[in-house]
Structure formats: C-alpha cells, structure tokens
Amino acid sequence: DRGSDESRSIEMLRDLKVQAKDAGGDVITLLGNHEIMNADLDFSYAPDIYSFDSWHDKFNMAEKLQTVLKGKRAQLMQRGKGKLAMLMSTMPVVVQIGDNVFVHGGLTRETISHGIDKLNQEVADWLRKDADVKPWLLDPVPKGGRTVSPLWERVYGMPIVPEAALETLDGMLESMDAKRMIVGHTPQKYGISGVGTEKEKEVWRIDTSKCFPPFSSLLPLLTPPPAPCLPSLHMLAFSYPFQQISTTR
C-alpha cells in the first residue's frame, strides 16, 4: 500500500517465483505488517483504494463490476475469498533457511515460545478464514510497554541496537541453531547494514528505503529496474553478497 504499482510489484514477485522454480530454486515472500493491515481492511497507508486496476483487468466483466461496486482493495483483501488474501495465506511470517532466519520486523521471545510453525499455520488459517480469531502475535499494541509482534518489532533496525536486545537475539538464534536474522520493516538510510553480537551472531537490516530516494543499493541486482515503489524489495536480498555487510556495535 505504498505507491500506485502494487499489482506490478506482486506480479513481478510471482514471475520471479516461477522462474526460480524452473531453475531449481525458489523465491519466498514473507508477510509484513502492512499485508496484515490490509487483510484487516485497514487502509490507513493506501494512497488509493483503486490502485489494483491492472490486477482486475485479468478478471471477467461480471467479477470486475462486482468488485468496483464493493471497492477493489477491500474485495481483494477479504479473508477467505479475496484473491490477495488467499495469496497471502501462502506466505509465512517467519522462515528459516539453513542458519538464516527471515522475518519482517524481528524475532521476539514471545514468537519463539509460541512456536514459529504454529504461528505461520495460525496466520494462514486466519487469512483463509478457517479461523475467526486474529493471532495475537500480529497485534501492534505493545505488551507491557514492549513490542512482541515479529511484524512490528523495530529494535533491531535502530542505528544503535541496545545490548540487551543483542543478548536476547543470541539466545533466540541459538535456540533455532541459526547464525543470523534478516529483517526489513525499518528503512536503513545508508543501505544494507548489519550488527554483530557477542556470540558472533548477526542481524542484517535490509529495508533499503526503495520508496524514498536516494534509491537502494539493491537496484543493481534487478534488471529491468523495478516498479517505482516496491515495498517487498527487501525480501529479495538473500542473494546479496555476504561480504558486503557492515558490522557495527
């Protein structure tokens, strides 16, 4: 819900996934806080509820007319039947690939204790409307003054990450037999950056502010250039050379 090229961005990611599968690989897209906001029919950040025009050009006229009457975004995001809600139900909140953990905002102790597989399944069920109650770990409201949602956590995107947070990260990654966590959510003014922990774990901050000039350091990876604003761009950063990461404490 940033800019007017959402449908182009989604189609690009879907095309990349097909190409990756054909080449023996994969492209995994994660859920972020704005996807969940839209599934909640909260369009606070949406510049235009009709920004999915090109998406609807693929539908038949009867469906198109019904969607126009009800509002395109709300129709697409309707849990249990909307095309985008059903697409989002296939996306995890957290995914681990080898010793790399990917999550939009950041791991929290509550996420670990709840169980990642359990959370991913609960969110998928909610988006498919197989469950009516929204998983509590999607809630942005802080618990006890501290954010517990892996979609809304920002502490690991701060210019200086508190030592207490790094110690917590050490424990969480050790429990997952992982070495690094890769997060988006909090734009990094100077491109991809990283922070090391006492136990030689890492957190990579790869939200490269594609929506806000100057454009990100990821642009050379994408040919042709992406849509003017691609909110999910940071999820493509897994192929970025490891040695490029800067480590600051």
Side-chain angles (χ1 to χ4, degrees):
D1 51 15
R2 299 285 180 90
S4 59
D5 289 283
E6 296 170 281
S7 57
R8 273 183 64 195
S9 301
I10 293 169
E11 288 293 349
M12 189 189 85
L13 290 169
R14 294 178 73 183
D15 289 345
L16 284 172
K17 189 175 184 70
V18 171
Q19 293 175 42
K21 288 284 190 183
D22 290 343
D26 199 2
V27 170
I28 300 172
T29 49
L30 300 183
L31 289 170
N33 56 325
H34 285 260
E35 284 75 24
I36 298 303
M37 289 174 67
N38 275 262
D40 254 346
L41 306 184
D42 177 356
F43 305 142
S44 302
Y45 289 85
D48 181 356
I49 63 170
Y50 301 112
S51 62
F52 281 103
D53 284 354
S54 61
W55 187 282
H56 276 276
D57 287 343
K58 305 177 189 300
F59 299 172
N60 61 53
M61 287 305 296
E63 185 175 12
K64 224 177 153 182
L65 176 60
Q66 181 187 38
T67 304
V68 169
L69 292 175
K70 292 186 176 181
K72 295 177 181 178
R73 182 179 293 274
Q75 181 77 1
L76 285 166
M77 296 294 180
Q78 187 174 357
R79 292 189 302 112
K81 59 190 298 187
K83 284 180 168 59
L84 286 182
M86 298 306 288
L87 175 63
M88 291 190 300
S89 74
T90 67
M91 302 177 185
V93 174
V94 184
V95 67
Q96 181 172 359
I97 303 173
D99 55 8
N100 303 285
V101 178
F102 295 82
V103 57
H104 181 70
L107 292 173
T108 64
R109 291 193 297 264
E110 289 78 7
T111 306
I112 299 297
S113 61
H114 186 81
I116 288 172
D117 290 341
K118 180 181 178 182
L119 175 61
N120 285 337
Q121 186 60 57
E122 288 174 348
V123 175
D125 290 344
W126 178 71
L127 287 167
R128 289 194 298 263
K129 215 171 182 179
D130 292 336
D132 292 326
V133 178
K134 179 182 176 183
W136 65 277
L137 277 169
L138 302 182
D139 193 340
V141 178
K143 183 177 181 181
R146 181 174 55 84
T147 302
V148 300
S149 172
L151 300 183
W152 291 89
E153 178 64 272
R154 286 198 187 275
V155 68
Y156 297 108
M158 295 170 61
I160 299 177
V161 181
E163 290 293 334
L166 293 175
E167 291 174 6
T168 299
L169 180 63
D170 270 332
M172 292 188 295
L173 290 179
E174 282 191 344
S175 73
M176 300 176 70
D177 195 23
K179 181 177 180 180
R180 66 184 59 84
M181 176 176 71
I182 299 92
V183 301
H185 191 44
T186 303
Q188 302 298 303
K189 185 175 181 180
Y190 301 107
I192 294 173
S193 65
V195 179
T197 73
E198 289 288 347
K199 296 184 178 180
E200 299 185 345
K201 306 295 186 182
E202 302 167 353
V203 54
W204 292 17
R205 296 89 66 81
I206 60 173
D207 187 326
T208 51
S209 307
K210 173 61 186 74
C211 298
F212 309 99
F215 285 171
S216 81
S217 56
L218 278 184
L219 284 180
L221 296 180
L222 301 177
T223 304
C229 182
L230 181 54
S232 297
L233 181 64
H234 57 259
M235 289 297 102
L236 302 178
F238 185 60
S239 61
Y240 200 79
F242 283 8
Q243 64 270 24
Q244 295 283 343
I245 188 171
S246 62
T247 303
T248 57
R249 288 297 300 275

Short mmCIF file of all heavy atoms in Angstrom, two decimals, residues 126-171:
data_model
loop_
_atom_site.label_atom_id
_atom_site.label_comp_id
_atom_site.label_asym_id
_atom_site.label_seq_id
_atom_site.Cartn_x
_atom_site.Cartn_y
_atom_site.Cartn_z
N TRP A 126 -6.14 -17.95 9.57
CA TRP A 126 -6.90 -16.70 9.74
C TRP A 126 -7.14 -16.04 8.39
O TRP A 126 -8.25 -15.57 8.11
CB TRP A 126 -6.15 -15.78 10.68
CG TRP A 126 -6.80 -14.45 10.88
CD1 TRP A 126 -7.96 -14.20 11.57
CD2 TRP A 126 -6.35 -13.19 10.39
NE1 TRP A 126 -8.25 -12.85 11.53
CE2 TRP A 126 -7.27 -12.21 10.82
CE3 TRP A 126 -5.24 -12.79 9.65
CZ2 TRP A 126 -7.12 -10.86 10.51
CZ3 TRP A 126 -5.08 -11.44 9.35
CH2 TRP A 126 -6.02 -10.49 9.78
N LEU A 127 -6.12 -16.00 7.52
CA LEU A 127 -6.28 -15.37 6.21
C LEU A 127 -7.24 -16.16 5.32
O LEU A 127 -7.97 -15.57 4.52
CB LEU A 127 -4.92 -15.24 5.53
CG LEU A 127 -4.00 -14.17 6.13
CD1 LEU A 127 -2.58 -14.32 5.61
CD2 LEU A 127 -4.53 -12.77 5.84
N ARG A 128 -7.25 -17.49 5.48
CA ARG A 128 -8.19 -18.31 4.70
C ARG A 128 -9.58 -18.33 5.34
O ARG A 128 -10.51 -18.90 4.80
CB ARG A 128 -7.66 -19.74 4.59
CG ARG A 128 -6.46 -19.90 3.68
CD ARG A 128 -6.21 -21.35 3.36
NE ARG A 128 -5.91 -22.11 4.56
CZ ARG A 128 -4.68 -22.41 4.97
NH1 ARG A 128 -3.64 -21.99 4.27
NH2 ARG A 128 -4.49 -23.11 6.06
N LYS A 129 -9.69 -17.73 6.50
CA LYS A 129 -10.92 -17.68 7.30
C LYS A 129 -11.32 -19.06 7.79
O LYS A 129 -12.48 -19.33 8.06
CB LYS A 129 -12.08 -17.02 6.54
CG LYS A 129 -12.97 -16.21 7.45
CD LYS A 129 -13.99 -15.38 6.69
CE LYS A 129 -14.82 -14.55 7.66
NZ LYS A 129 -15.81 -13.70 6.98
N ASP A 130 -10.32 -19.93 7.95
CA ASP A 130 -10.55 -21.20 8.63
C ASP A 130 -10.58 -20.98 10.14
O ASP A 130 -10.99 -21.86 10.88
CB ASP A 130 -9.44 -22.20 8.28
CG ASP A 130 -9.50 -22.63 6.82
OD1 ASP A 130 -10.59 -22.53 6.22
OD2 ASP A 130 -8.46 -23.04 6.27
N ALA A 131 -10.10 -19.81 10.55
CA ALA A 131 -10.15 -19.40 11.96
C ALA A 131 -10.63 -17.95 12.00
O ALA A 131 -10.26 -17.14 11.16
CB ALA A 131 -8.77 -19.52 12.60
N ASP A 132 -11.47 -17.64 12.97
CA ASP A 132 -12.04 -16.30 13.06
C ASP A 132 -11.19 -15.33 13.89
O ASP A 132 -11.24 -14.12 13.69
CB ASP A 132 -13.46 -16.36 13.66
CG ASP A 132 -14.43 -17.04 12.72
OD1 ASP A 132 -14.27 -16.90 11.49
OD2 ASP A 132 -15.34 -17.73 13.22
N VAL A 133 -10.44 -15.87 14.84
CA VAL A 133 -9.69 -15.03 15.77
C VAL A 133 -8.31 -14.71 15.18
O VAL A 133 -7.55 -15.61 14.83
CB VAL A 133 -9.54 -15.70 17.14
CG1 VAL A 133 -8.72 -14.82 18.08
CG2 VAL A 133 -10.91 -16.00 17.73
N LYS A 134 -8.01 -13.43 15.11
CA LYS A 134 -6.71 -12.99 14.61
C LYS A 134 -5.62 -13.38 15.61
O LYS A 134 -5.74 -13.12 16.80
CB LYS A 134 -6.73 -11.48 14.42
CG LYS A 134 -5.43 -10.86 13.93
CD LYS A 134 -5.59 -9.35 13.84
CE LYS A 134 -4.30 -8.66 13.45
NZ LYS A 134 -4.46 -7.18 13.43
N PRO A 135 -4.55 -14.03 15.14
CA PRO A 135 -3.46 -14.40 16.05
C PRO A 135 -2.91 -13.18 16.80
O PRO A 135 -2.62 -12.15 16.19
CB PRO A 135 -2.40 -15.00 15.11
CG PRO A 135 -3.19 -15.53 13.95
CD PRO A 135 -4.31 -14.55 13.77
N TRP A 136 -2.75 -13.31 18.10
CA TRP A 136 -2.40 -12.16 18.93
C TRP A 136 -1.01 -11.62 18.62
O TRP A 136 -0.74 -10.44 18.85
CB TRP A 136 -2.52 -12.52 20.41
CG TRP A 136 -1.56 -13.57 20.88
CD1 TRP A 136 -1.71 -14.92 20.77
CD2 TRP A 136 -0.32 -13.36 21.55
NE1 TRP A 136 -0.63 -15.57 21.32
CE2 TRP A 136 0.24 -14.64 21.81
CE3 TRP A 136 0.38 -12.23 21.95
CZ2 TRP A 136 1.46 -14.81 22.44
CZ3 TRP A 136 1.60 -12.40 22.59
CH2 TRP A 136 2.13 -13.67 22.82
N LEU A 137 -0.14 -12.45 18.06
CA LEU A 137 1.21 -12.00 17.76
C LEU A 137 1.27 -11.10 16.52
O LEU A 137 2.34 -10.61 16.17
CB LEU A 137 2.15 -13.19 17.58
CG LEU A 137 2.71 -13.77 18.88
CD1 LEU A 137 3.40 -15.10 18.63
CD2 LEU A 137 3.65 -12.79 19.55
N LEU A 138 0.14 -10.87 15.89
CA LEU A 138 0.07 -9.90 14.80
C LEU A 138 -0.29 -8.51 15.29
O LEU A 138 -0.24 -7.54 14.53
CB LEU A 138 -0.98 -10.34 13.76
CG LEU A 138 -0.78 -11.71 13.12
CD1 LEU A 138 -1.87 -11.95 12.08
CD2 LEU A 138 0.60 -11.85 12.49
N ASP A 139 -0.64 -8.41 16.56
CA ASP A 139 -1.13 -7.16 17.13
C ASP A 139 0.02 -6.18 17.36
O ASP A 139 1.01 -6.53 18.00
CB ASP A 139 -1.83 -7.46 18.46
CG ASP A 139 -2.65 -6.29 18.96
OD1 ASP A 139 -2.40 -5.15 18.52
OD2 ASP A 139 -3.52 -6.50 19.81
N PRO A 140 -0.09 -4.94 16.84
CA PRO A 140 0.99 -3.97 17.04
C PRO A 140 1.02 -3.36 18.43
O PRO A 140 2.00 -2.71 18.79
CB PRO A 140 0.68 -2.89 16.00
CG PRO A 140 -0.81 -2.94 15.86
CD PRO A 140 -1.17 -4.40 15.98
N VAL A 141 -0.03 -3.54 19.22
CA VAL A 141 -0.09 -2.90 20.53
C VAL A 141 0.95 -3.53 21.45
O VAL A 141 0.97 -4.75 21.65
CB VAL A 141 -1.49 -3.06 21.16
CG1 VAL A 141 -1.52 -2.43 22.54
CG2 VAL A 141 -2.54 -2.41 20.26
N PRO A 142 1.86 -2.73 22.00
CA PRO A 142 2.91 -3.28 22.88
C PRO A 142 2.33 -3.96 24.11
O PRO A 142 1.32 -3.52 24.66
CB PRO A 142 3.73 -2.05 23.27
CG PRO A 142 3.44 -1.04 22.21
CD PRO A 142 2.01 -1.29 21.81
N LYS A 143 2.98 -5.05 24.51
CA LYS A 143 2.59 -5.77 25.73
C LYS A 143 3.58 -5.40 26.82
O LYS A 143 4.78 -5.64 26.70
CB LYS A 143 2.62 -7.27 25.46
CG LYS A 143 2.16 -8.11 26.65
CD LYS A 143 2.15 -9.59 26.28
CE LYS A 143 1.67 -10.44 27.45
NZ LYS A 143 1.66 -11.88 27.11
N GLY A 144 3.08 -4.77 27.87
CA GLY A 144 3.96 -4.35 28.95
C GLY A 144 4.96 -3.30 28.51
O GLY A 144 6.07 -3.24 29.03
N GLY A 145 4.57 -2.50 27.51
CA GLY A 145 5.46 -1.45 27.02
C GLY A 145 6.50 -1.94 26.04
O GLY A 145 7.38 -1.20 25.63
N ARG A 146 6.40 -3.21 25.61
CA ARG A 146 7.39 -3.79 24.70
C ARG A 146 6.68 -4.49 23.55
O ARG A 146 5.77 -5.28 23.75
CB ARG A 146 8.27 -4.78 25.46
CG ARG A 146 9.35 -5.44 24.63
CD ARG A 146 10.26 -6.29 25.51
NE ARG A 146 9.49 -7.26 26.27
CZ ARG A 146 9.11 -8.44 25.78
NH1 ARG A 146 9.40 -8.76 24.53
NH2 ARG A 146 8.43 -9.29 26.53
N THR A 147 7.12 -4.20 22.33
CA THR A 147 6.52 -4.84 21.17
C THR A 147 6.83 -6.33 21.18
O THR A 147 7.98 -6.72 21.36
CB THR A 147 7.06 -4.21 19.87
OG1 THR A 147 6.78 -2.81 19.88
CG2 THR A 147 6.41 -4.84 18.65
N VAL A 148 5.81 -7.15 20.97
CA VAL A 148 6.03 -8.61 20.96
C VAL A 148 5.78 -9.20 19.58
O VAL A 148 6.08 -10.37 19.35
CB VAL A 148 5.12 -9.31 21.99
CG1 VAL A 148 5.41 -8.80 23.39
CG2 VAL A 148 3.63 -9.13 21.65
N SER A 149 5.26 -8.42 18.64
CA SER A 149 4.94 -8.94 17.31
C SER A 149 6.18 -8.98 16.42
O SER A 149 6.89 -7.98 16.31
CB SER A 149 3.87 -8.08 16.64
OG SER A 149 3.69 -8.48 15.29
N PRO A 150 6.43 -10.10 15.75
CA PRO A 150 7.57 -10.16 14.83
C PRO A 150 7.37 -9.29 13.59
O PRO A 150 8.33 -9.08 12.84
CB PRO A 150 7.63 -11.65 14.45
CG PRO A 150 6.22 -12.14 14.63
CD PRO A 150 5.69 -11.38 15.81
N LEU A 151 6.16 -8.81 13.38
CA LEU A 151 5.90 -7.92 12.24
C LEU A 151 6.10 -6.46 12.58
O LEU A 151 6.27 -5.63 11.68
CB LEU A 151 4.47 -8.13 11.73
CG LEU A 151 4.11 -9.53 11.24
CD1 LEU A 151 2.68 -9.54 10.70
CD2 LEU A 151 5.09 -10.01 10.18
N TRP A 152 6.09 -6.13 13.86
CA TRP A 152 6.15 -4.73 14.28
C TRP A 152 7.41 -4.38 15.07
O TRP A 152 7.64 -3.20 15.38
CB TRP A 152 4.91 -4.39 15.12
CG TRP A 152 3.65 -4.37 14.34
CD1 TRP A 152 2.81 -5.44 14.12
CD2 TRP A 152 3.06 -3.27 13.66
NE1 TRP A 152 1.74 -5.06 13.35
CE2 TRP A 152 1.87 -3.72 13.05
CE3 TRP A 152 3.42 -1.92 13.50
CZ2 TRP A 152 1.04 -2.89 12.30
CZ3 TRP A 152 2.59 -1.09 12.76
CH2 TRP A 152 1.42 -1.58 12.16
N GLU A 153 8.21 -5.34 15.40
CA GLU A 153 9.44 -5.09 16.16
C GLU A 153 10.39 -4.18 15.36
O GLU A 153 10.61 -4.40 14.18
CB GLU A 153 10.14 -6.42 16.47
CG GLU A 153 11.45 -6.29 17.22
CD GLU A 153 11.27 -5.71 18.60
OE1 GLU A 153 11.29 -4.46 18.71
OE2 GLU A 153 11.09 -6.50 19.56
N ARG A 154 10.91 -3.16 16.04
CA ARG A 154 11.84 -2.24 15.37
C ARG A 154 13.20 -2.14 16.06
O ARG A 154 14.10 -1.47 15.54
CB ARG A 154 11.24 -0.83 15.28
CG ARG A 154 10.14 -0.69 14.24
CD ARG A 154 9.91 0.78 13.90
NE ARG A 154 8.76 0.97 13.04
CZ ARG A 154 8.79 0.86 11.71
NH1 ARG A 154 9.92 0.54 11.10
NH2 ARG A 154 7.70 1.07 11.00
N VAL A 155 13.38 -2.78 17.18
CA VAL A 155 14.61 -2.58 17.93
C VAL A 155 15.84 -2.98 17.13
O VAL A 155 16.90 -2.34 17.25
CB VAL A 155 14.56 -3.35 19.28
CG1 VAL A 155 14.58 -4.85 19.08
CG2 VAL A 155 15.69 -2.90 20.19
N TYR A 156 15.72 -4.00 16.26
CA TYR A 156 16.88 -4.45 15.51
C TYR A 156 17.16 -3.59 14.28
O TYR A 156 18.18 -3.80 13.61
CB TYR A 156 16.71 -5.92 15.11
CG TYR A 156 16.63 -6.81 16.32
CD1 TYR A 156 15.42 -7.40 16.70
CD2 TYR A 156 17.74 -7.04 17.12
CE1 TYR A 156 15.33 -8.20 17.83
CE2 TYR A 156 17.67 -7.84 18.24
CZ TYR A 156 16.46 -8.40 18.59
OH TYR A 156 16.39 -9.18 19.71
N GLY A 157 16.29 -2.64 13.99
CA GLY A 157 16.53 -1.71 12.90
C GLY A 157 17.06 -0.38 13.36
O GLY A 157 17.33 0.51 12.55
N MET A 158 17.24 -0.21 14.68
CA MET A 158 17.72 1.05 15.22
C MET A 158 19.19 1.29 14.85
O MET A 158 19.95 0.33 14.68
CB MET A 158 17.57 1.05 16.74
CG MET A 158 16.13 0.99 17.22
SD MET A 158 16.00 0.69 19.01
CE MET A 158 16.85 2.15 19.66
N PRO A 159 19.59 2.56 14.71
CA PRO A 159 21.01 2.85 14.41
C PRO A 159 21.96 2.20 15.41
O PRO A 159 23.02 1.69 15.03
CB PRO A 159 21.08 4.38 14.48
CG PRO A 159 19.69 4.83 14.15
CD PRO A 159 18.78 3.79 14.76
N ILE A 160 21.60 2.22 16.69
CA ILE A 160 22.37 1.53 17.72
C ILE A 160 21.43 0.56 18.43
O ILE A 160 20.48 0.98 19.09
CB ILE A 160 22.98 2.52 18.73
CG1 ILE A 160 23.94 3.49 18.03
CG2 ILE A 160 23.70 1.76 19.84
CD1 ILE A 160 24.53 4.54 18.94
N VAL A 161 21.67 -0.73 18.25
CA VAL A 161 20.81 -1.75 18.86
C VAL A 161 21.24 -1.94 20.31
O VAL A 161 22.43 -2.16 20.59
CB VAL A 161 20.92 -3.09 18.10
CG1 VAL A 161 20.01 -4.13 18.74
CG2 VAL A 161 20.58 -2.90 16.63
N PRO A 162 20.32 -1.84 21.26
CA PRO A 162 20.67 -2.00 22.67
C PRO A 162 21.33 -3.35 22.95
O PRO A 162 20.97 -4.36 22.35
CB PRO A 162 19.32 -1.88 23.39
CG PRO A 162 18.46 -1.11 22.44
CD PRO A 162 18.89 -1.52 21.07
N GLU A 163 22.28 -3.35 23.87
CA GLU A 163 22.98 -4.57 24.22
C GLU A 163 22.01 -5.66 24.70
O GLU A 163 22.19 -6.84 24.41
CB GLU A 163 24.02 -4.29 25.31
CG GLU A 163 25.21 -3.48 24.84
CD GLU A 163 26.08 -4.23 23.85
OE1 GLU A 163 26.09 -5.48 23.89
OE2 GLU A 163 26.75 -3.57 23.04
N ALA A 164 20.99 -5.24 25.46
CA ALA A 164 20.02 -6.22 25.97
C ALA A 164 19.32 -6.94 24.82
O ALA A 164 19.05 -8.15 24.89
CB ALA A 164 19.01 -5.54 26.88
N ALA A 165 19.01 -6.19 23.76
CA ALA A 165 18.34 -6.80 22.60
C ALA A 165 19.27 -7.77 21.89
O ALA A 165 18.84 -8.84 21.43
CB ALA A 165 17.86 -5.71 21.64
N LEU A 166 20.55 -7.42 21.79
CA LEU A 166 21.51 -8.32 21.15
C LEU A 166 21.71 -9.60 21.97
O LEU A 166 21.86 -10.69 21.41
CB LEU A 166 22.84 -7.60 20.96
CG LEU A 166 22.82 -6.45 19.95
CD1 LEU A 166 24.17 -5.73 19.92
CD2 LEU A 166 22.46 -6.94 18.55
N GLU A 167 21.69 -9.47 23.28
CA GLU A 167 21.80 -10.66 24.13
C GLU A 167 20.58 -11.56 23.94
O GLU A 167 20.70 -12.79 23.89
CB GLU A 167 21.93 -10.24 25.59
CG GLU A 167 23.27 -9.57 25.92
CD GLU A 167 23.31 -9.04 27.33
OE1 GLU A 167 22.35 -9.30 28.11
OE2 GLU A 167 24.30 -8.36 27.69
N THR A 168 19.40 -10.94 23.85
CA THR A 168 18.19 -11.72 23.60
C THR A 168 18.26 -12.40 22.25
O THR A 168 17.88 -13.57 22.11
CB THR A 168 16.95 -10.80 23.65
OG1 THR A 168 16.85 -10.21 24.95
CG2 THR A 168 15.68 -11.58 23.36
N LEU A 169 18.77 -11.69 21.25
CA LEU A 169 18.90 -12.27 19.92
C LEU A 169 19.84 -13.47 19.93
O LEU A 169 19.55 -14.49 19.28
CB LEU A 169 19.41 -11.21 18.94
CG LEU A 169 19.59 -11.68 17.49
CD1 LEU A 169 18.26 -12.10 16.89
CD2 LEU A 169 20.24 -10.58 16.64
N ASP A 170 20.94 -13.37 20.67
CA ASP A 170 21.85 -14.51 20.80
C ASP A 170 21.10 -15.76 21.25
O ASP A 170 21.25 -16.84 20.66
CB ASP A 170 22.95 -14.19 21.82
CG ASP A 170 24.17 -13.54 21.19
OD1 ASP A 170 24.42 -13.80 19.99
OD2 ASP A 170 24.86 -12.78 21.89
N GLY A 171 20.30 -15.61 22.29
CA GLY A 171 19.57 -16.75 22.82
C GLY A 171 18.55 -17.30 21.84
O GLY A 171 18.41 -18.52 21.69
#
